[in-house]
Amino acid sequence: MESSEEDGGVPLSRMAEWRDVTPLRQDDGPNPVVPITYKEEFRETMDYFRAIYKADERSPRALRLTRRAIHLNPGNYTVWHFRRLVLEALNTDLDEELDFIQRIANSNSKNYQLWHHRRWVIERLGSNARSKELHLIKSILSLDAKNYHAWSHRQWVLQALGGWEDELDYCRQLLEQDIFNNSAWNQRYFVVTRSPFLGGLPAMRASEVRYSVEAIVVNPNNECPWRYLRGLYKDDIESLVNDREILSICLKVINTKSDYIFALKMLLDLLCYGFQPSQELRDAVVALWTSDTRPLDADLATAICDILEHVDSLRASYWIWRKNKLRIAA
Amino acid sequence: MATRDPLDFDVGVEVDEEGTPSPSSISPPSSPLSYLDRDRHVAFFEMLYDLMPYHYQSQEINRLTLAFFTISGLHLLQALDRVDKDRVANWVLSFQALPRSRAELKNGQFYGFHGSRTSQFHPDENGVSVHNAGHLASTYCALAILKTVGFNLLTIDKESILISMRNLQQPDGSFMPVHVGAETDLRFVYCAAAICFMLEDWSGMDREKAKDYILNCQSYDGGFGLMPGLESHGGGTYCAVASLRLMGYIEDDLLSKNATSFIVNVPLLLDWCMQRQAIDGGFQGRANKYSDTCYAFWVGAVLKILGGYKLIDKIALRRFLLSCQSEFGGFSKYPRELPDLYHSYYGFTAFSLLEEPGLNPLCAELGMIDLAALGIL
């Protein structure tokens, strides 16, 4: 962790402001296990923090001290907790607090305490903070579009404060940048199912199926749109099995004879759900089998398992297991 | 919750996801070893047990977690003799936040274990330490360490832990890790379940509510996110499935049973887990992300619990893990980087799941040695 930006790294013991305070050393006790070789600045800052915390001094200098401690020790939830107590006691401007968090967010974008603290501040600022917050999260995501903490915070903001109107479009932008971004696909599902402006999953299903199919056409080897397609149907198996668009894209991909693993998987699942395949589909699958040594099994689901055992060989044992399960179910 | 508890996925070392070398990486002088270098790992962990370098100071709030990784790691490597068991037990017990009286147990505070001395204060004249606060993850680590060194858990004040733990459970079934407030997610549901399981007493939590919360975390693709609505994730999936197993909602070796209805969508979950093994042999934590050593445990353990571990490509996995084995001892997150304690520990657990000779067997749902299998219990 970088050393404190405040006070130019001057030891607290040499500051007049802290002369009246006796730092409280950590009592490691006898025979400590995994003792840590703290650097001097770290140790000193935490010794002063302990003193102030124990005395429960909620003053401006205490606030500055928590800032210093956070720079050095951003994972320490006690420091963050005490900072909140001091902020409340001093009735501090919370917009400034947001600026503070934002400054340290870049080097701590995956720190749970920081995000929780941010949430605490936003809860107090209310819906006025909404658009600035959504904007900040976007800027964090522009550095790392899969930052789990940022996504978690974003979902919380949407649910607590709203702002759903532009979210589907934001997902579309992210997917244009990287169609393989599973976080963006997940967010899309989140918006489609929960936004009060879109009418819910049943209303959105047809257009979302089309969107997924377009993504598959470009990259049939992308796991995300396949999972998303399946997810659009949840437990409505009958509708899933009867969706012509899904059948059509499976057939289309299989006919290209390349990048067809996910298409075959989808077809296998549909067969297990009771789908009755057409002759055209059967022929397309058979055309994939290039072995001279043995013919493809007459049962289409079994045949698909055999093909997958060879082309998705990392999961060969899984495909053999799936094939055996078919026999049990029959 | 803090930066390095055992469930802190994707946190800590800010590695450029594109794989370009960060300042902490070194180009290797030689190709990876073809075997698990057990002796070097033991030496590495012994060193950490004696003294942690300053790089770990930012994780000092979680000292008990660092101790858990170190001690349980040595146990996995069949090197627990390096540890002074009585000394460790006494040290761990000194972290328990004890109430003055039974009445205090309802005051909202959690009387579990502190994570470190950093915020543990001596009681004042009245015997009170108002600043003391137990943490769920630290409590899980404390109990796990005590079990590891053979301490009889039934002799500790478990009532204080269990009664006060209920204060941490939220209306939606999730858990807060500390009573002063923090994020709530599946990690702490897991800690709570593991604590009750180890103490053999489920009065510490409402299992039904916890189960409902877990089920709400299953994503449309079969994996579990850390909170409802979040992207499915290897760590979240582990917390979900291990918790359900510990709480008794799913039975052992589910996949070999022919029952068709489960409380979670098992076929979808299985397929999601199987797809997490990438072409390099390693496991990824989320779709279309890089393989990372620790997911060989998080996802591998889920498969083990379900009875599907036999389905993975073990040879490919082993090859990936060995490429993350460090010449200094331990494991790194990605190939050719510096090792850290967290990835080292989960590297060992991953090898234990692979039944590597020289390692003790693992209890997948507790993330530590299977003491029953060792004949100790």
PDB file of all heavy atoms in Angstrom, chain B residues 193-219:
ATOM      1  N   ALA B 193     -22.983 -21.295   8.606  1.00  0.00           N
ATOM      2  CA  ALA B 193     -23.291 -22.718   8.507  1.00  0.00           C
ATOM      3  C   ALA B 193     -22.108 -23.561   8.980  1.00  0.00           C
ATOM      4  O   ALA B 193     -22.276 -24.556   9.695  1.00  0.00           O
ATOM      5  CB  ALA B 193     -23.663 -23.082   7.068  1.00  0.00           C
ATOM      6  N   ALA B 194     -20.914 -23.151   8.595  1.00  0.00           N
ATOM      7  CA  ALA B 194     -19.722 -23.911   8.991  1.00  0.00           C
ATOM      8  C   ALA B 194     -19.523 -23.849  10.507  1.00  0.00           C
ATOM      9  O   ALA B 194     -19.125 -24.837  11.138  1.00  0.00           O
ATOM     10  CB  ALA B 194     -18.489 -23.382   8.260  1.00  0.00           C
ATOM     11  N   ILE B 195     -19.807 -22.698  11.089  1.00  0.00           N
ATOM     12  CA  ILE B 195     -19.669 -22.539  12.546  1.00  0.00           C
ATOM     13  C   ILE B 195     -20.642 -23.469  13.264  1.00  0.00           C
ATOM     14  O   ILE B 195     -20.258 -24.210  14.175  1.00  0.00           O
ATOM     15  CB  ILE B 195     -19.912 -21.066  12.958  1.00  0.00           C
ATOM     16  CG1 ILE B 195     -18.742 -20.192  12.494  1.00  0.00           C
ATOM     17  CG2 ILE B 195     -20.097 -20.942  14.471  1.00  0.00           C
ATOM     18  CD1 ILE B 195     -19.026 -18.705  12.546  1.00  0.00           C
ATOM     19  N   CYS B 196     -21.904 -23.447  12.855  1.00  0.00           N
ATOM     20  CA  CYS B 196     -22.906 -24.317  13.485  1.00  0.00           C
ATOM     21  C   CYS B 196     -22.535 -25.782  13.303  1.00  0.00           C
ATOM     22  O   CYS B 196     -22.688 -26.591  14.227  1.00  0.00           O
ATOM     23  CB  CYS B 196     -24.293 -24.055  12.893  1.00  0.00           C
ATOM     24  SG  CYS B 196     -24.997 -22.466  13.362  1.00  0.00           S
ATOM     25  N   PHE B 197     -22.063 -26.102  12.114  1.00  0.00           N
ATOM     26  CA  PHE B 197     -21.695 -27.484  11.824  1.00  0.00           C
ATOM     27  C   PHE B 197     -20.564 -27.952  12.736  1.00  0.00           C
ATOM     28  O   PHE B 197     -20.630 -29.030  13.329  1.00  0.00           O
ATOM     29  CB  PHE B 197     -21.277 -27.612  10.359  1.00  0.00           C
ATOM     30  CG  PHE B 197     -20.966 -29.013   9.933  1.00  0.00           C
ATOM     31  CD1 PHE B 197     -21.990 -29.870   9.524  1.00  0.00           C
ATOM     32  CD2 PHE B 197     -19.659 -29.495   9.942  1.00  0.00           C
ATOM     33  CE1 PHE B 197     -21.701 -31.174   9.135  1.00  0.00           C
ATOM     34  CE2 PHE B 197     -19.367 -30.794   9.552  1.00  0.00           C
ATOM     35  CZ  PHE B 197     -20.402 -31.636   9.158  1.00  0.00           C
ATOM     36  N   MET B 198     -19.542 -27.103  12.882  1.00  0.00           N
ATOM     37  CA  MET B 198     -18.392 -27.488  13.708  1.00  0.00           C
ATOM     38  C   MET B 198     -18.753 -27.568  15.178  1.00  0.00           C
ATOM     39  O   MET B 198     -18.226 -28.397  15.917  1.00  0.00           O
ATOM     40  CB  MET B 198     -17.225 -26.519  13.479  1.00  0.00           C
ATOM     41  CG  MET B 198     -16.511 -26.757  12.155  1.00  0.00           C
ATOM     42  SD  MET B 198     -14.960 -25.838  12.001  1.00  0.00           S
ATOM     43  CE  MET B 198     -15.556 -24.253  11.434  1.00  0.00           C
ATOM     44  N   LEU B 199     -19.670 -26.693  15.595  1.00  0.00           N
ATOM     45  CA  LEU B 199     -20.100 -26.719  16.995  1.00  0.00           C
ATOM     46  C   LEU B 199     -21.218 -27.733  17.224  1.00  0.00           C
ATOM     47  O   LEU B 199     -21.703 -27.883  18.347  1.00  0.00           O
ATOM     48  CB  LEU B 199     -20.570 -25.318  17.435  1.00  0.00           C
ATOM     49  CG  LEU B 199     -19.483 -24.244  17.482  1.00  0.00           C
ATOM     50  CD1 LEU B 199     -20.070 -22.890  17.840  1.00  0.00           C
ATOM     51  CD2 LEU B 199     -18.400 -24.620  18.505  1.00  0.00           C
ATOM     52  N   GLU B 200     -21.633 -28.377  16.144  1.00  0.00           N
ATOM     53  CA  GLU B 200     -22.683 -29.401  16.199  1.00  0.00           C
ATOM     54  C   GLU B 200     -23.956 -28.860  16.841  1.00  0.00           C
ATOM     55  O   GLU B 200     -24.585 -29.527  17.675  1.00  0.00           O
ATOM     56  CB  GLU B 200     -22.178 -30.633  16.968  1.00  0.00           C
ATOM     57  CG  GLU B 200     -20.959 -31.277  16.309  1.00  0.00           C
ATOM     58  CD  GLU B 200     -20.372 -32.417  17.121  1.00  0.00           C
ATOM     59  OE1 GLU B 200     -21.136 -33.340  17.464  1.00  0.00           O
ATOM     60  OE2 GLU B 200     -19.167 -32.375  17.417  1.00  0.00           O
ATOM     61  N   ASP B 201     -24.314 -27.644  16.465  1.00  0.00           N
ATOM     62  CA  ASP B 201     -25.463 -27.004  17.110  1.00  0.00           C
ATOM     63  C   ASP B 201     -26.041 -25.964  16.149  1.00  0.00           C
ATOM     64  O   ASP B 201     -25.384 -24.976  15.843  1.00  0.00           O
ATOM     65  CB  ASP B 201     -25.002 -26.357  18.409  1.00  0.00           C
ATOM     66  CG  ASP B 201     -26.146 -25.832  19.258  1.00  0.00           C
ATOM     67  OD1 ASP B 201     -27.183 -25.429  18.693  1.00  0.00           O
ATOM     68  OD2 ASP B 201     -25.999 -25.803  20.486  1.00  0.00           O
ATOM     69  N   TRP B 202     -27.274 -26.181  15.684  1.00  0.00           N
ATOM     70  CA  TRP B 202     -27.852 -25.278  14.689  1.00  0.00           C
ATOM     71  C   TRP B 202     -28.711 -24.167  15.292  1.00  0.00           C
ATOM     72  O   TRP B 202     -29.406 -23.455  14.570  1.00  0.00           O
ATOM     73  CB  TRP B 202     -28.656 -26.083  13.658  1.00  0.00           C
ATOM     74  CG  TRP B 202     -27.730 -26.902  12.813  1.00  0.00           C
ATOM     75  CD1 TRP B 202     -27.378 -28.203  13.000  1.00  0.00           C
ATOM     76  CD2 TRP B 202     -26.971 -26.447  11.682  1.00  0.00           C
ATOM     77  NE1 TRP B 202     -26.446 -28.598  12.059  1.00  0.00           N
ATOM     78  CE2 TRP B 202     -26.189 -27.536  11.233  1.00  0.00           C
ATOM     79  CE3 TRP B 202     -26.888 -25.223  11.003  1.00  0.00           C
ATOM     80  CZ2 TRP B 202     -25.330 -27.444  10.141  1.00  0.00           C
ATOM     81  CZ3 TRP B 202     -26.042 -25.140   9.918  1.00  0.00           C
ATOM     82  CH2 TRP B 202     -25.274 -26.233   9.498  1.00  0.00           C
ATOM     83  N   SER B 203     -28.627 -23.990  16.594  1.00  0.00           N
ATOM     84  CA  SER B 203     -29.406 -22.911  17.204  1.00  0.00           C
ATOM     85  C   SER B 203     -28.857 -21.529  16.835  1.00  0.00           C
ATOM     86  O   SER B 203     -29.496 -20.515  17.102  1.00  0.00           O
ATOM     87  CB  SER B 203     -29.435 -23.080  18.730  1.00  0.00           C
ATOM     88  OG  SER B 203     -28.124 -22.993  19.246  1.00  0.00           O
ATOM     89  N   GLY B 204     -27.684 -21.486  16.217  1.00  0.00           N
ATOM     90  CA  GLY B 204     -27.086 -20.199  15.876  1.00  0.00           C
ATOM     91  C   GLY B 204     -27.696 -19.521  14.659  1.00  0.00           C
ATOM     92  O   GLY B 204     -27.384 -18.378  14.358  1.00  0.00           O
ATOM     93  N   MET B 205     -28.556 -20.242  13.931  1.00  0.00           N
ATOM     94  CA  MET B 205     -29.093 -19.634  12.719  1.00  0.00           C
ATOM     95  C   MET B 205     -30.439 -20.257  12.354  1.00  0.00           C
ATOM     96  O   MET B 205     -30.767 -21.364  12.773  1.00  0.00           O
ATOM     97  CB  MET B 205     -28.124 -19.816  11.553  1.00  0.00           C
ATOM     98  CG  MET B 205     -27.874 -21.259  11.143  1.00  0.00           C
ATOM     99  SD  MET B 205     -26.511 -21.475   9.964  1.00  0.00           S
ATOM    100  CE  MET B 205     -27.213 -20.792   8.479  1.00  0.00           C
ATOM    101  N   ASP B 206     -31.213 -19.519  11.551  1.00  0.00           N
ATOM    102  CA  ASP B 206     -32.458 -20.030  11.004  1.00  0.00           C
ATOM    103  C   ASP B 206     -32.105 -20.651   9.655  1.00  0.00           C
ATOM    104  O   ASP B 206     -31.898 -19.951   8.660  1.00  0.00           O
ATOM    105  CB  ASP B 206     -33.457 -18.874  10.848  1.00  0.00           C
ATOM    106  CG  ASP B 206     -34.810 -19.335  10.322  1.00  0.00           C
ATOM    107  OD1 ASP B 206     -34.849 -20.357   9.584  1.00  0.00           O
ATOM    108  OD2 ASP B 206     -35.822 -18.702  10.640  1.00  0.00           O
ATOM    109  N   ARG B 207     -32.025 -21.952   9.630  1.00  0.00           N
ATOM    110  CA  ARG B 207     -31.565 -22.650   8.428  1.00  0.00           C
ATOM    111  C   ARG B 207     -32.503 -22.477   7.238  1.00  0.00           C
ATOM    112  O   ARG B 207     -32.076 -22.348   6.095  1.00  0.00           O
ATOM    113  CB  ARG B 207     -31.397 -24.146   8.708  1.00  0.00           C
ATOM    114  CG  ARG B 207     -30.025 -24.537   9.163  1.00  0.00           C
ATOM    115  CD  ARG B 207     -29.899 -26.019   9.321  1.00  0.00           C
ATOM    116  NE  ARG B 207     -30.551 -26.506  10.520  1.00  0.00           N
ATOM    117  CZ  ARG B 207     -30.513 -27.775  10.926  1.00  0.00           C
ATOM    118  NH1 ARG B 207     -29.871 -28.684  10.227  1.00  0.00           N
ATOM    119  NH2 ARG B 207     -31.126 -28.139  12.040  1.00  0.00           N
ATOM    120  N   GLU B 208     -33.792 -22.483   7.510  1.00  0.00           N
ATOM    121  CA  GLU B 208     -34.763 -22.350   6.424  1.00  0.00           C
ATOM    122  C   GLU B 208     -34.594 -21.028   5.700  1.00  0.00           C
ATOM    123  O   GLU B 208     -34.597 -20.959   4.479  1.00  0.00           O
ATOM    124  CB  GLU B 208     -36.196 -22.436   6.970  1.00  0.00           C
ATOM    125  CG  GLU B 208     -36.727 -23.844   7.127  1.00  0.00           C
ATOM    126  CD  GLU B 208     -36.927 -24.549   5.787  1.00  0.00           C
ATOM    127  OE1 GLU B 208     -37.632 -23.992   4.910  1.00  0.00           O
ATOM    128  OE2 GLU B 208     -36.363 -25.641   5.601  1.00  0.00           O
ATOM    129  N   LYS B 209     -34.460 -19.971   6.483  1.00  0.00           N
ATOM    130  CA  LYS B 209     -34.297 -18.647   5.873  1.00  0.00           C
ATOM    131  C   LYS B 209     -32.987 -18.581   5.089  1.00  0.00           C
ATOM    132  O   LYS B 209     -32.935 -17.994   4.011  1.00  0.00           O
ATOM    133  CB  LYS B 209     -34.283 -17.567   6.953  1.00  0.00           C
ATOM    134  CG  LYS B 209     -35.650 -17.150   7.420  1.00  0.00           C
ATOM    135  CD  LYS B 209     -35.596 -15.791   8.106  1.00  0.00           C
ATOM    136  CE  LYS B 209     -36.986 -15.276   8.378  1.00  0.00           C
ATOM    137  NZ  LYS B 209     -37.005 -14.392   9.559  1.00  0.00           N
ATOM    138  N   ALA B 210     -31.959 -19.164   5.656  1.00  0.00           N
ATOM    139  CA  ALA B 210     -30.662 -19.156   4.975  1.00  0.00           C
ATOM    140  C   ALA B 210     -30.775 -19.910   3.658  1.00  0.00           C
ATOM    141  O   ALA B 210     -30.258 -19.478   2.625  1.00  0.00           O
ATOM    142  CB  ALA B 210     -29.597 -19.778   5.869  1.00  0.00           C
ATOM    143  N   LYS B 211     -31.484 -21.029   3.691  1.00  0.00           N
ATOM    144  CA  LYS B 211     -31.676 -21.823   2.471  1.00  0.00           C
ATOM    145  C   LYS B 211     -32.407 -20.991   1.415  1.00  0.00           C
ATOM    146  O   LYS B 211     -32.035 -20.987   0.243  1.00  0.00           O
ATOM    147  CB  LYS B 211     -32.480 -23.088   2.791  1.00  0.00           C
ATOM    148  CG  LYS B 211     -32.788 -23.939   1.560  1.00  0.00           C
ATOM    149  CD  LYS B 211     -33.935 -24.896   1.790  1.00  0.00           C
ATOM    150  CE  LYS B 211     -35.235 -24.165   1.945  1.00  0.00           C
ATOM    151  NZ  LYS B 211     -36.427 -24.987   1.876  1.00  0.00           N
ATOM    152  N   ASP B 212     -33.447 -20.272   1.827  1.00  0.00           N
ATOM    153  CA  ASP B 212     -34.198 -19.449   0.874  1.00  0.00           C
ATOM    154  C   ASP B 212     -33.294 -18.407   0.231  1.00  0.00           C
ATOM    155  O   ASP B 212     -33.381 -18.148  -0.970  1.00  0.00           O
ATOM    156  CB  ASP B 212     -35.377 -18.756   1.565  1.00  0.00           C
ATOM    157  CG  ASP B 212     -36.472 -19.746   1.944  1.00  0.00           C
ATOM    158  OD1 ASP B 212     -36.518 -20.836   1.334  1.00  0.00           O
ATOM    159  OD2 ASP B 212     -37.262 -19.432   2.857  1.00  0.00           O
ATOM    160  N   TYR B 213     -32.436 -17.797   1.038  1.00  0.00           N
ATOM    161  CA  TYR B 213     -31.524 -16.789   0.503  1.00  0.00           C
ATOM    162  C   TYR B 213     -30.584 -17.417  -0.523  1.00  0.00           C
ATOM    163  O   TYR B 213     -30.352 -16.874  -1.603  1.00  0.00           O
ATOM    164  CB  TYR B 213     -30.721 -16.144   1.635  1.00  0.00           C
ATOM    165  CG  TYR B 213     -29.776 -15.060   1.151  1.00  0.00           C
ATOM    166  CD1 TYR B 213     -30.257 -13.796   0.826  1.00  0.00           C
ATOM    167  CD2 TYR B 213     -28.412 -15.307   1.009  1.00  0.00           C
ATOM    168  CE1 TYR B 213     -29.406 -12.807   0.356  1.00  0.00           C
ATOM    169  CE2 TYR B 213     -27.548 -14.318   0.545  1.00  0.00           C
ATOM    170  CZ  TYR B 213     -28.054 -13.071   0.219  1.00  0.00           C
ATOM    171  OH  TYR B 213     -27.206 -12.084  -0.241  1.00  0.00           O
ATOM    172  N   ILE B 214     -30.077 -18.582  -0.177  1.00  0.00           N
ATOM    173  CA  ILE B 214     -29.162 -19.280  -1.093  1.00  0.00           C
ATOM    174  C   ILE B 214     -29.854 -19.565  -2.427  1.00  0.00           C
ATOM    175  O   ILE B 214     -29.301 -19.321  -3.498  1.00  0.00           O
ATOM    176  CB  ILE B 214     -28.667 -20.602  -0.466  1.00  0.00           C
ATOM    177  CG1 ILE B 214     -27.786 -20.315   0.746  1.00  0.00           C
ATOM    178  CG2 ILE B 214     -27.879 -21.423  -1.492  1.00  0.00           C
ATOM    179  CD1 ILE B 214     -27.425 -21.559   1.550  1.00  0.00           C
ATOM    180  N   LEU B 215     -31.063 -20.084  -2.353  1.00  0.00           N
ATOM    181  CA  LEU B 215     -31.775 -20.413  -3.595  1.00  0.00           C
ATOM    182  C   LEU B 215     -32.007 -19.180  -4.458  1.00  0.00           C
ATOM    183  O   LEU B 215     -31.963 -19.250  -5.687  1.00  0.00           O
ATOM    184  CB  LEU B 215     -33.105 -21.108  -3.289  1.00  0.00           C
ATOM    185  CG  LEU B 215     -33.010 -22.432  -2.526  1.00  0.00           C
ATOM    186  CD1 LEU B 215     -34.369 -23.084  -2.383  1.00  0.00           C
ATOM    187  CD2 LEU B 215     -32.038 -23.395  -3.206  1.00  0.00           C
ATOM    188  N   ASN B 216     -32.217 -18.042  -3.806  1.00  0.00           N
ATOM    189  CA  ASN B 216     -32.391 -16.788  -4.557  1.00  0.00           C
ATOM    190  C   ASN B 216     -31.119 -16.349  -5.263  1.00  0.00           C
ATOM    191  O   ASN B 216     -31.161 -15.458  -6.106  1.00  0.00           O
ATOM    192  CB  ASN B 216     -32.855 -15.670  -3.621  1.00  0.00           C
ATOM    193  CG  ASN B 216     -34.315 -15.805  -3.268  1.00  0.00           C
ATOM    194  OD1 ASN B 216     -35.083 -16.405  -4.014  1.00  0.00           O
ATOM    195  ND2 ASN B 216     -34.700 -15.268  -2.128  1.00  0.00           N
ATOM    196  N   CYS B 217     -30.019 -16.939  -4.868  1.00  0.00           N
ATOM    197  CA  CYS B 217     -28.730 -16.569  -5.472  1.00  0.00           C
ATOM    198  C   CYS B 217     -28.389 -17.401  -6.705  1.00  0.00           C
ATOM    199  O   CYS B 217     -27.386 -17.126  -7.371  1.00  0.00           O
ATOM    200  CB  CYS B 217     -27.600 -16.686  -4.442  1.00  0.00           C
ATOM    201  SG  CYS B 217     -27.671 -15.437  -3.131  1.00  0.00           S
ATOM    202  N   GLN B 218     -29.225 -18.427  -7.004  1.00  0.00           N
ATOM    203  CA  GLN B 218     -28.894 -19.221  -8.196  1.00  0.00           C
ATOM    204  C   GLN B 218     -29.223 -18.408  -9.442  1.00  0.00           C
ATOM    205  O   GLN B 218     -30.340 -17.918  -9.605  1.00  0.00           O
ATOM    206  CB  GLN B 218     -29.626 -20.579  -8.239  1.00  0.00           C
ATOM    207  CG  GLN B 218     -29.106 -21.448  -9.402  1.00  0.00           C
ATOM    208  CD  GLN B 218     -29.543 -22.916  -9.356  1.00  0.00           C
ATOM    209  OE1 GLN B 218     -30.599 -23.239  -8.814  1.00  0.00           O
ATOM    210  NE2 GLN B 218     -28.735 -23.809  -9.915  1.00  0.00           N
ATOM    211  N   SER B 219     -28.238 -18.274 -10.303  1.00  0.00           N
ATOM    212  CA  SER B 219     -28.387 -17.444 -11.501  1.00  0.00           C
ATOM    213  C   SER B 219     -29.089 -18.219 -12.615  1.00  0.00           C
ATOM    214  O   SER B 219     -29.247 -19.435 -12.534  1.00  0.00           O
ATOM    215  CB  SER B 219     -26.993 -17.005 -11.966  1.00  0.00           C
ATOM    216  OG  SER B 219     -27.025 -16.512 -13.283  1.00  0.00           O
TER     217      SER B 219
END
